[in-house]
Amino acid sequence: MTVSELPAHPQTRTAVPPPPDPEPYRVLGAGDPDPELWPLLYRELVRGRRYNTQATALTRQGRLAVYPSSTGQEACQVAAGLALGPRDWLFPSYRDTLAAVVRGVDPAAALTLLRGDWHTGHDPRAHRVAPLCTPLATQLPHAVGLAHAARLRRDDVAVLALVGDGGTSEGDFHEALNFAAVWRAPVVFLVQNNGYAISVPLAKQTAAPSIAHKAVGYGMPGRLVDGNDAPAVHDALAGALARARAGEGPTLIEALTYRLDAHTNADDATRYRTEAEVAAWRARDPLTLMERELRAHGLLDDAGAAEAHEAAERTAAALREALSGDPELTPGDLFTHVYATPTPQLREQAERLREFS
């Protein structure tokens, strides 16, 4: 008897979920396209690729302290931003700036943390996007907490939490999935498995058949999807988010993808992976796959492609303009957003700062 064939525990409400499919779910190359969604995915992929290259260039110019590029992973980012409903929440990691931009955050504001100006450059409540999270996986318990609160309030809200394969090796990942399943929280976990936790390959992190298989142990469905197939990722996320809103609990989705750039501008990826490996994944570039499929179905021509690239260039130009000057920083702001009511120690420190300013 396999784990999936075991009877449901008496205290659970549903049977043990089956393991995910052995092959990743794909949409491109099969079936009819969505004439509205697919061109939108393509335009956002084009904009996302240009956003990544522009942000990387700004890092080289000293305008950003660091930039963790999502080049090669844009299908996951774009699908995440577009699959969310108006009242849903997004909890991103440090590599998910593009998902935040697709969700509606200003492109320059999404880079504020990486510039060192503020912890976040946008209003989380206005966009329903939590601050970008640099510590690995610490955003996941927060996502579960918000989702659980929404469930208790009978609020029609689902939460999408993004994490990389490296983050699944953190204790926060286990705690978040365990609480989400026990509480039946309306949260979806999207693991962008790009093969490496900086330089550590997945094989040195887990012996499981896939990260998606871990869902069975927590008592939630797990799905394995081709992370370079934008419509497939969108379809998987939209279904899981709808399931969450319907009160059916959390879902773990693993998207198989690859970061074509280094971990950050401070990383030398040639130390741990070969050019042949990178070239093989370039052949699976999500932007190339999407464009090829759209042209095959008559949903994209040269004029449409040019229009998408021109719009992306406008985004890049606005980003350059926004980050062209030095930030105007006020030292006193260090004390403004620590506590709603400043402690005596903070008030004393702020006063000493004013004395020496």
Side-chain angles (χ1 to χ4, degrees):
M1 178 179 288
T2 65
V3 172
S4 62
E5 294 170 335
L6 290 172
H9 190 280
Q11 294 181 355
T12 62
R13 301 184 185 180
T14 58
V16 175
D21 294 334
E23 294 295 328
Y25 174 63
R26 295 183 174 89
V27 170
L28 292 178
D32 296 326
D34 183 325
E36 293 185 4
L37 174 63
W38 286 31
L40 175 59
L41 288 168
Y42 170 75
R43 290 193 294 271
E44 290 292 355
L45 284 171
V46 171
R47 184 169 75 130
R49 179 60 53 85
R50 187 65 185 92
Y51 182 80
N52 273 316
T53 58
Q54 184 60 72
T56 299
L58 289 168
T59 305
R60 296 193 183 106
Q61 297 165 10
R63 295 299 175 185
L64 294 176
V66 67
Y67 184 66
S69 173
S70 62
T71 296
Q73 299 180 216
E74 291 98 340
C76 296
Q77 300 279 299
V78 167
L82 293 179
L84 290 161
R87 304 191 70 249
D88 294 340
W89 273 81
L90 175 69
F91 277 73
S93 74
Y94 58 87
R95 199 180 299 279
D96 301 319
T97 48
L98 178 55
V101 169
V102 174
R103 179 67 169 152
V105 173
D106 178 81
L111 297 173
T112 299
L113 169 66
L114 303 172
R115 199 181 190 194
D117 293 1
W118 287 78
H119 182 55
T120 182
H122 66 275
D123 182 348
R125 290 181 177 84
H127 297 283
R128 302 179 90 82
V129 176
L132 295 173
C133 187
T134 301
L136 290 184
T138 56
Q139 75 275 16
L140 302 186
H142 299 161
V144 175
L146 190 148
H148 181 52
R151 179 173 178 269
L152 292 177
R153 296 175 60 181
R154 301 184 184 279
D155 202 354
D156 185 23
V157 169
V159 177
L160 176 57
L162 307 183
V163 68
D165 53 290
T168 67
S169 296
E170 296 289 330
D172 296 83
F173 175 80
H174 160 77
E175 293 155 6
L177 269 70
N178 194 57
F179 275 119
V182 170
W183 289 338
R184 295 178 63 80
V187 59
V188 177
F189 302 95
L190 175 62
V191 178
Q192 298 170 78
N193 179 6
N194 64 23
Y196 293 94
I198 305 183
S199 59
V200 180
L202 185 66
K204 292 187 177 181
Q205 297 184 67
T206 179
S210 73
I211 293 172
H213 278 76
K214 296 177 184 289
V216 177
Y218 294 105
M220 69 177 71
R223 297 203 64 185
L224 190 63
V225 63
D226 183 347
N228 287 7
D229 185 331
V233 180
H234 184 277
D235 187 43
L237 289 175
L241 288 166
R243 180 178 176 275
R245 292 188 212 99
E248 297 178 26
T251 303
L252 173 63
I253 299 175
E254 177 187 1
L256 299 177
T257 185
Y258 194 83
R259 58 171 170 79
L260 295 173
D261 289 345
H263 176 70
T264 68
N265 54 294
D267 175 41
D268 179 9
T270 62
R271 295 182 295 109
Y272 54 86
R273 66 185 193 183
T274 66
E275 283 297 323
E277 178 182 304
V278 177
W281 277 97
R282 284 193 187 280
R284 293 281 304 161
D285 186 319
L287 178 55
T288 302
L289 295 177
M290 194 78 231
E291 180 169 347
R292 183 188 306 157
E293 200 70 17
L294 285 173
R295 288 184 181 274
H297 285 90
L299 294 175
L300 181 68
D301 55 17
D302 290 344
E307 182 180 347
H309 284 276
E310 289 168 4
E313 285 301 326
R314 289 194 292 272
T315 295
L319 197 59
R320 291 194 299 272
E321 177 64 25
L323 299 182
S324 62
D326 293 329
E328 296 181 6
L329 304 179
T330 303
D333 287 342
L334 285 170
F335 307 97
T336 304
H337 301 291
V338 181
Y339 294 104
T341 302
T343 64
Q345 292 83 2
L346 280 179
R347 290 196 296 269
E348 179 184 352
Q349 293 168 19
E351 181 59 33
R352 291 192 64 184
L353 177 64
R354 283 191 292 270
E355 291 174 358
F356 289 100
S357 296

